[in-house]
Amino acid sequence: FIQLNDNKIDGSISSNIGKLSSLSGFYCLNNSFEGSLPSEIGKLKKLNYLIATTNKLSGEIPSEIGQASNIVNLLLDNNQLTGSIPSEIGLLKGLGIPDPNVNGLRLDKNRLTGSLPESMFGLQNLKMLNLGSNSLTGTISASIGQLQLLETLDLS
């Protein structure tokens, strides 16, 4: 894994991250990374943890993130991400798998728009979903009832 937490690192996350085929965790919270999350993140088939809380990441969440199917903890909160939540997030079936370190899915405190993708309600292991402090619209699907392990939901 790579751990870069609590520094003053700036610049972008290189697309070369996709070449780290054995990477199991990428932790870069509390830095100043900017630019888009590279689509090459989808090449990381062994990635379990993607923690990029409190940076300056912008642009859309790449749809390729759904190809990193072993992610159990995805924290992209407190950035400047825009656009809608990609439906491919629903391919991350491991999100929230029981583990004392798992927080689930946090996309709060960004600039996300649009409605919640229906595919998100298929994440049956999800315990925590925080999408608050965005500009999301639409209705909450009755399919939310499929999230039977959900303990925390924040859409404020």
Side-chain angles (χ1 to χ4, degrees), residues 11-144:
S12 62
I13 298 172
S14 172
S15 61
N16 286 328
I17 195 168
K19 295 179 180 177
L20 303 175
S21 59
S22 294
L23 190 65
S24 63
F26 184 66
Y27 302 82
C28 65
L29 62 98
N30 295 324
N31 279 290
S32 295
F33 283 104
E34 52 195 14
S36 298
L37 193 62
S39 61
E40 288 79 5
I41 220 88
K43 295 179 180 179
L44 302 176
K45 305 301 183 199
K46 296 183 179 179
L47 189 67
N48 297 128
Y49 301 94
L50 177 54
I51 315 298
T53 298
T54 311
N55 279 283
K56 298 176 183 175
L57 296 173
S58 59
E60 296 187 0
I61 299 169
S63 61
E64 291 85 356
I65 201 159
Q67 297 169 16
S69 56
N70 285 315
I71 293 178
V72 297
N73 202 2
L74 179 59
L75 308 182
L76 300 175
D77 51 305
N78 202 20
N79 279 287
Q80 299 165 14
L81 298 170
T82 58
S84 59
I85 299 169
S87 62
E88 291 82 0
I89 226 127
L91 298 173
L92 302 177
K93 300 295 184 191
L95 272 178
I97 284 181
D99 176 325
N101 300 315
V102 170
N103 291 312
L105 178 59
R106 289 196 62 176
L107 301 176
D108 53 302
K109 300 177 187 158
N110 278 290
R111 298 175 184 163
L112 298 172
T113 57
S115 59
L116 303 181
E118 187 71 23
S119 64
M120 184 176 285
F121 302 118
L123 298 173
Q124 295 181 354
N125 293 307
L126 199 60
K127 288 187 170 186
M128 192 275 296
L129 176 60
N130 190 338
L131 304 174
S133 299
N134 281 293
S135 296
L136 298 171
T137 58
T139 59
I140 298 174
S141 169
S143 299
I144 197 165

